[in-house]
Amino acid sequence: MDILANTLPAVRATQAIPGGREAWSALLGSAFRTPRQLARWLELPGGWVKESLADVPEFPLFAPQPFVARMERGNPHDPLLRQVWPAREERQPVEGFVADPLREDAVQRAPGILQKYAGRALLITTGACGIHCRYCFRRHWEYDRSPTTLSEWRAAVDGIARDDSITEVILSGGDPLTWPDVKLKELVGWLDAVPHLRRLRIHSRMPIVIPQRMTPGLFEALETARLERVLVVHANHVRELDGDVESASAAARRHGWTLLNQAVLLAGVNDSLESLRALSERLLAVGVLPYYLHQVDRVAGAAHFYLPPERGVELTRQLRNHLPGYLVPRFVCEQPGAPAKTVLA
Ligand SMILES: *Cc1c(COP(=O)(O)O)cnc(C)c1O
Ligand code: SF4
């Protein structure tokens, strides 16, 4: 399995755009790709860099400029930096942390389509992302099994069209918003024409990490005549939600999208009442409701982010005592074979 290959589509996506490059695609192209480059930019202490860095990361660093701009210079413990920094701990095998903790291999109903839950089909549209999150549970996923060309995706949509138990399609990945507008427009058009589909959901971190992606052209490409539209973004820390994210989210709302957030509970990033509370309050201010707080999966290389589930249960209880109910995300984990995500608190 070649994990390095996962980063290539990000570059290819930027080249697939005909004519002039759009800002978001240039931002993908100019993302930080080496720890030393990022360390220099952030003026991180040299001793710390040397000590903390993994020698040869199997999952390369990838951090776009708009996200890096929200990091604090000179602070090696910045919660945004921690999410992208290839730390030495990643290389130490930890018992119980494996490549495919969710055994997603077992739930592929067709190439690139996962179905775990009733009524919802999830499309792994691409392996490319706007950022590489070190804790990602799909960091070891073999994306090259997903369709790539539109004609292969057409066959996948035909499969969905033959199964009227499916009422919602989730575009996931990787990050579906790394696809160019023309390709998204085609796919969404096909989905719009499947009569038993009622909802289109997109899981994307692009509105957070490269909010410049949320262009009028994108909203036009995603226009559907009748599907309910839900955009689930992914922010873990209050500082990820800057003014550009706020504008992007306002634009999405104007175009009829319901906005939800999923976060992952991460040691050293957001594992305190104050941090989670600030995140929820800021999410509402930018027009997004907290949806899920995920227990970090036991994926190889992510053990340094791990917190026991009891910690998340306790933090969620505390949040509930401080915030209105609609600002308290459900703390969930995934159990292979379960009919829904398991709500822990
Ligand atoms: C998480 C997930 C969903 C969505 O679950 P919801 O509880 O509806 O948000 C759907 N399919 C797969 C494969 C998932 O992992
Ligand atoms: S968490 Fe999402 S955005 Fe981050 S690497 Fe994984 S799939 Fe990509």
Side-chain angles (χ1 to χ4, degrees):
M1 169 176 63
D2 181 7
I3 287 150
L4 282 169
N6 287 353
T7 64
L8 296 178
V11 184
R12 262 189 252 128
T14 66
Q15 291 161 350
I17 289 167
R21 259 185 162 195
E22 291 186 80
W24 68 270
S25 126
L27 286 165
L28 275 178
S30 67
F32 291 86
R33 285 159 199 268
T34 72
R36 305 230 167 248
Q37 196 189 12
L38 182 60
R40 226 175 304 132
W41 175 262
L42 290 173
E43 297 160 3
L44 298 175
W48 177 83
V49 170
K50 210 165 157 225
E51 218 167 87
S52 72
L53 192 60
D55 308 331
V56 196
E58 45 161 22
F59 180 55
L61 179 141
F62 190 88
Q65 183 269 330
F67 190 79
V68 171
R70 302 169 207 154
M71 295 177 185
E72 190 190 344
R73 289 219 165 170
N75 179 8
H77 307 296
D78 182 276
L80 276 59
L81 173 65
R82 187 167 161 83
Q83 296 178 53
V84 301
W85 187 257
R88 178 155 293 181
E89 294 101 308
E90 289 186 14
R91 311 290 286 170
Q92 289 152 4
V94 177
E95 203 178 318
F97 287 75
V98 297
D100 183 14
L102 306 181
R103 282 181 260 143
E104 288 202 319
D105 256 356
V107 294
Q108 275 209 82
R109 52 174 281 160
I113 303 187
L114 300 185
Q115 191 176 2
K116 281 187 200 168
Y117 308 136
R120 284 150 289 172
L122 182 146
L123 310 194
I124 305 278
T125 53
T126 171
C129 289
I131 190 167
H132 286 176
C133 313
R134 307 314 300 179
Y135 51 83
C136 181
F137 73 94
R138 295 222 176 94
R139 60 183 283 169
H140 302 282
W141 180 257
E142 292 178 54
Y143 286 101
D144 48 11
R145 288 176 302 190
S146 276
T148 46
T149 65
L150 270 174
S151 60
E152 289 169 317
W153 279 113
R154 176 72 243 185
V157 172
D158 288 343
I160 290 169
R162 280 192 298 272
D163 180 351
D164 65 8
S165 74
I166 297 177
T167 51
E168 174 166 342
V169 165
I170 304 170
L171 307 185
S172 184
D175 199 313
L177 297 187
T178 59
W179 270 20
D181 295 347
V182 281
K183 197 169 171 183
L184 285 166
K185 188 180 170 80
E186 194 85 13
L187 179 66
V188 169
W190 294 336
L191 295 173
D192 201 32
V194 176
H196 51 260
L197 288 181
R198 287 184 222 142
R199 289 177 294 277
L200 170 67
R201 183 183 342 178
I202 294 182
H203 283 178
S204 174
R205 211 174 181 206
M206 288 291 270
I208 306 297
V209 300
I210 307 184
Q212 293 79 357
R213 176 66 187 103
M214 311 311 281
T215 60
L218 174 68
F219 290 117
E220 201 230 284
L222 298 177
E223 206 42 65
T224 97
R226 40 165 220 100
L227 300 174
E228 296 293 341
R229 282 156 285 174
V230 180
L231 175 59
V232 184
V233 301
H234 169 183
N236 300 313
H237 192 273
V238 62
R239 242 192 306 114
E240 293 173 43
L241 304 167
D242 70 359
D244 289 339
V245 171
E246 189 166 0
S247 310
S249 137
R253 278 159 33 108
R254 278 197 307 277
H255 285 89
W257 290 82
T258 296
L259 293 179
L260 303 171
N261 183 61
Q262 47 185 343
V264 184
L265 183 63
L266 300 165
V269 173
N270 57 9
D271 56 330
S272 70
L273 174 62
E274 301 71 55
S275 179
L276 292 173
R277 181 180 176 166
L279 175 63
S280 275
E281 291 187 323
R282 177 71 185 144
L283 280 168
L284 181 68
V286 305
V288 182
L289 282 176
Y291 178 40
Y292 282 148
L293 176 64
H294 292 269
Q295 161 73 10
V296 70
D297 296 305
R298 289 163 74 89
V299 58
H304 56 300
F305 290 111
Y306 187 80
L307 291 159
E310 303 76 57
R311 181 79 188 122
V313 169
E314 177 54 30
L315 283 168
T316 306
R317 286 211 183 113
Q318 290 176 11
L319 261 188
R320 195 162 286 131
N321 292 338
H322 284 86
L323 289 177
Y326 57 85
L327 290 187
V328 182
R330 270 153 277 185
F331 178 54
V332 293
C333 71
E334 289 207 36
Q335 287 170 328
K341 296 197 202 299
T342 305
V343 178
L344 298 170

